[in-house]
Amino acid sequence: MIKKAVLPVAGLGTRFLPASKATPKEMLPIIDKPLVQYAVEEAINAGINEIIFITSPEKNSIKKHFNKNEEIESKLIKSGKKDMVKKLNPEIFSDITFYYINQEMQNGLGDAVLHAESIIKNEDFAVLLPDDLFFSKRSCLSQLIDIYDNKKSSVIAVNKIDKENIHKYGVIKPGNISDKFINIQDIVEKPSFEDAPSDIAVCGRYVLTSSIFNHLKCTDFDKNGEIQLTDAIRSLIKEEEVLACLYEGEKFDCGSKEGFVHATIALALRDESISEDIKKIIKEII
Ligand code: UTP
């Protein structure tokens, strides 16, 4: 059973400067909820009960966000806004243990995941990158866990990407393809258009066996001085079956400005309390 999830949130968020200078990128809201909360809710709804944030001292507001705030709570109750209390401290958070581990240097996603070893130990676990936002009937992480429960192998979420954008992603070389999953033969981080082994790119949800930690420890820094999770998975594939799940649903890349704005518009148009006004505004602008 997958009960623990790692959320790496220590990145510099350079694409969102200056907004991300004092506010973590992961705390930027899509409408009224910070990005990181969408990922935490997805994890909890998929059965996770321990959330491990890999964070940095500058990102203390993430910890504050998930701690109870009794002062605001009592003010809301006094002013008759009980409904808002539920929004402030969603009930689903009550049985969850949150851990916060500092990544001293931003040495890449692989290094961030390795920081969770002291808590995960030899359990298999999930990784969610909060800047990828997913919406589907059955959540992206639940789709991965369905496959993991059956196969007990690592499973990575993937989706098809226009080849001209392939250089931005980890890309898999597919082996056998069944209607449920793809056997991964190889995986490369940010290949050029010419070298990309397919048009199937990794997106920010993973279920990994604990053996990934040994592979992360042996992974060298890349040319940008980062330890890439993709490189450790590439090494894992040589020893264990690693599967890909062709994710069914919507995905917004909120680590980029276009994706962030796209998600904001899409969610605003679905929010009954504001959608009519937003439609009018969009019509006016166009
Ligand atoms: P990104 O590749 O989006 O990097 O990381 P970033 O630094 O946050 O953003 P840019 O590229 O500078 O704009 C993907 C996820 O991995 C985390 C990030 O916080 C993000 O959730 N991460 C990345 C770490 O936790 N530590 C790192 O050293 C790098």
Side-chain angles (χ1 to χ4, degrees), residues 8-16 25-26 54 59 103 105-109 112 129-131 226 255:
V9 293
L12 296 175
T14 44
R15 283 169 288 174
F16 276 90
K25 169 182 78 171
E26 298 80 6
I54 310 302
K59 298 201 173 189
Q103 185 188 21
M105 306 267 285
Q106 276 64 50
N107 283 336
L109 177 59
L129 307 188
D131 43 11
E226 295 198 342

Side-chain angles (χ1 to χ4, degrees), residues 1-219:
M1 287 228 281
I2 301 293
K3 288 286 166 199
K4 293 188 169 118
V6 179
L7 273 75
V9 293
L12 296 175
T14 44
R15 283 169 288 174
F16 276 90
L17 284 170
S20 54
K21 186 178 170 194
T23 305
K25 169 182 78 171
E26 298 80 6
M27 284 299 291
L28 297 177
I30 305 290
I31 315 294
D32 55 3
K33 201 191 282 184
L35 262 177
V36 65
Q37 188 174 335
Y38 289 94
V40 166
E41 288 177 1
E42 181 183 335
I44 297 172
N45 288 326
I48 299 294
N49 55 23
E50 292 183 50
I51 304 263
I52 302 144
F53 289 105
I54 310 302
T55 181
S56 69
E58 293 78 39
K59 298 201 173 189
N60 204 25
S61 56
I62 296 181
K63 187 172 181 180
K64 251 178 131 176
H65 184 74
F66 290 99
N67 277 351
K68 267 190 146 230
N69 186 326
E70 278 158 16
E71 202 184 317
I72 306 185
E73 216 173 282
S74 69
K75 277 184 189 160
L76 287 171
I77 293 170
K78 271 187 203 147
S79 57
K81 293 179 180 156
K82 255 191 159 174
D83 276 4
M84 289 308 285
V85 176
K86 274 192 204 147
K87 269 200 158 182
L88 203 65
N89 296 312
E91 236 170 82
I92 56 165
F93 292 176
S94 53
D95 295 329
I96 307 300
T97 309
F98 293 99
Y99 299 91
Y100 301 86
I101 298 180
N102 281 332
Q103 185 188 21
E104 304 74 26
M105 306 267 285
Q106 276 64 50
N107 283 336
L109 177 59
D111 178 65
V113 172
L114 186 53
H115 274 69
E117 189 187 18
S118 56
I119 292 176
I120 306 265
K121 299 196 175 80
N122 52 6
E123 255 179 77
D124 299 344
F125 63 102
V127 177
L128 296 94
L129 307 188
D131 43 11
D132 273 344
L133 190 56
F134 295 89
F135 293 103
S136 49
K137 240 190 193 162
R138 186 146 183 77
S139 78
C140 185
L141 184 59
S142 298
Q143 291 178 34
L144 303 192
I145 291 178
D146 288 345
I147 298 173
Y148 168 85
D149 284 344
N150 200 7
K151 302 286 293 180
K152 297 288 177 282
S153 308
S154 296
V155 192
I156 301 171
V158 293
N159 63 352
K160 291 205 173 181
I161 294 282
D162 293 335
K163 261 245 168 144
E164 56 269 26
N165 284 317
I166 208 82
H167 63 280
K168 298 178 189 165
Y169 299 91
V171 181
I172 67 160
K173 180 178 180 193
N176 285 344
I177 301 182
S178 77
D179 57 343
K180 295 232 159 32
F181 52 78
I182 302 169
N183 271 85
I184 306 181
Q185 273 186 359
D186 199 2
I187 187 165
V188 273
E189 183 64 19
K190 301 190 174 77
S192 65
F193 180 90
E194 296 76 24
D195 295 336
S198 73
D199 61 350
I200 306 174
V202 175
C203 34
R205 300 290 182 270
Y206 310 73
V207 170
L208 297 168
T209 60
S210 59
S211 17
I212 193 70
F213 292 126
N214 287 336
H215 294 269
L216 281 167
K217 284 175 203 158
C218 301
T219 300

Side-chain angles (χ1 to χ4, degrees), residues 16 29-31 35 38 131-135 159 161-162 165 168-169 249-271 274 278 282:
F16 276 90
I30 305 290
I31 315 294
L35 262 177
Y38 289 94
D131 43 11
D132 273 344
L133 190 56
F134 295 89
F135 293 103
N159 63 352
I161 294 282
D162 293 335
N165 284 317
K168 298 178 189 165
Y169 299 91
E250 276 178 303
K251 182 202 154 209
F252 300 99
D253 173 9
C254 296
S256 74
K257 288 179 202 166
E258 319 79 272
F260 189 89
V261 175
H262 186 180
T264 304
I265 296 171
L267 264 66
L269 291 174
R270 280 172 217 173
D271 180 335
I274 55 172
I278 299 295
I282 293 175

